[in-house]
Amino acid sequence: EIVMTQSPATLSVSPGERATLSCRASQSVSNNLAWYQQKPGQVPRLLIYGASTRATGIPARLSGSGTGTEFTLTISSLQSEDFAVYYCQQYNDWPSITFGQGTRLEIK
Amino acid sequence: EVQLVESGGGLVQPGRSLRLSCAASGFTFDDYAMHWVRQAPEKGLEWVSGISWNSIDYADSVKGRFTISRDNARKSLYLQMNSLRAEDTALYYCAKGGILRGVIDDWGQGTLVTVSS
């Protein structure tokens, strides 16, 4: 089973600043990596797939990068609606998929 | 509009069984992989199981105890959960795979399973 490790567990950033979230895979997942956002009381929402392709309706201030085992989600100029928990997920090992443990992005 | 409606959750004693269902609408059910994903209280997301037209897999934590199935005619997804443990307590989401089968692009609201004596 591929293990996904996210860092940091909690990230405190001020509105308007940039946030950088990391995700590492225990073995290469090529670019088969997705990012999700979950707000309290809500279901997760797909943000990024293919490591860098934004899902429908996702603003350009969110961007994904990386390949192999190292991935990054960058949110430039944080807005109030961006404060949430973010999960990375690999699907290279389909039909087995795994999520990271999440990064909580909070207001500084 | 895609709709996924889970049912079948509840309070169950350790060692007992429970069957979850998910009714799907708003898309061609046969064409997409489907998943069960769970989230324990105040914890992260954990993939439980996935099924496509030709493949099935399970998380190690449930392998041998849970069985996923689908009825394309009824546009329904199921999860048979046997030998339940306290650590299976979670909100169970039915989730739809996208064009890329392992990418989840729609989620139900979840059904809560509580395993306790």
Side-chain angles (χ1 to χ4, degrees):
Chain A
E1 179 177 298
I2 298 175
V3 178
M4 307 301 292
T5 303
Q6 294 185 240
S7 61
T10 302
L11 182 61
S12 299
V13 183
S14 300
E17 295 190 339
R18 174 191 297 259
T20 302
L21 289 68
S22 297
C23 175
R24 172 176 293 178
S26 60
Q27 63 190 74
S28 176
V29 298
S30 184
N31 69 335
N32 296 310
L33 191 285
W35 290 93
Y36 301 83
Q37 176 195 67
Q38 188 178 31
K39 297 180 180 180
Q42 296 186 16
V43 303
R45 177 174 71 148
L46 175 65
L47 301 175
I48 300 280
Y49 61 92
S52 60
T53 301
R54 280 185 293 276
T56 302
I58 302 305
R61 66 177 184 275
L62 278 74
S63 62
S65 63
T67 188
T69 62
E70 300 285 342
F71 301 89
T72 299
L73 175 68
T74 301
I75 310 174
S76 62
S77 189
L78 279 162
Q79 309 293 306
S80 57
E81 61 265 29
D82 297 327
F83 293 96
V85 179
Y86 292 82
Y87 296 94
C88 64
Q89 174 236 321
Q90 69 78 22
Y91 52 96
N92 189 67
D93 203 23
W94 169 263
S96 175
I97 66 177
T98 46
F99 289 92
Q101 81 279 18
T103 290
R104 180 179 305 275
L105 180 58
E106 63 177 28
I107 300 175
K108 186 174 183 179
Chain B
E1 178 190 4
V2 171
Q3 288 201 339
L4 301 168
V5 180
E6 304 93 336
S7 60
L11 175 63
V12 61
Q13 293 179 329
R16 304 298 290 267
S17 298
L18 208 57
R19 188 193 195 209
L20 305 184
S21 300
C22 171
S25 61
F27 64 102
T28 306
F29 185 74
D30 314 34
D31 287 350
Y32 293 93
M34 297 295 295
H35 304 266
W36 289 100
V37 177
R38 69 185 180 183
Q39 188 166 32
E42 304 303 317
K43 299 294 185 182
L45 301 172
E46 180 187 18
W47 177 78
V48 173
S49 182
I51 182 171
S52 68
W53 70 275
N54 66 344
S55 59
I56 288 175
D57 204 1
Y58 302 91
D60 289 345
S61 58
V62 307
K63 201 168 290 187
R65 299 188 298 123
F66 290 11
T67 302
I68 192 172
S69 62
R70 63 191 295 164
D71 183 336
N72 288 339
R74 296 180 181 271
K75 299 184 180 181
S76 293
L77 179 72
Y78 305 100
L79 186 68
Q80 178 66 42
M81 305 187 294
N82 298 333
S83 304
L84 283 161
R85 306 167 180 167
E87 54 265 35
D88 296 319
T89 294
L91 186 64
Y92 283 72
Y93 293 108
C94 170
K96 171 184 164 291
I99 299 297
L100 300 173
R101 295 171 298 178
V103 177
I104 294 173
D105 61 3
D106 280 288
W107 302 71
Q109 290 300 308
T111 186
L112 182 63
V113 173
T114 302
V115 184
S116 174
S117 55

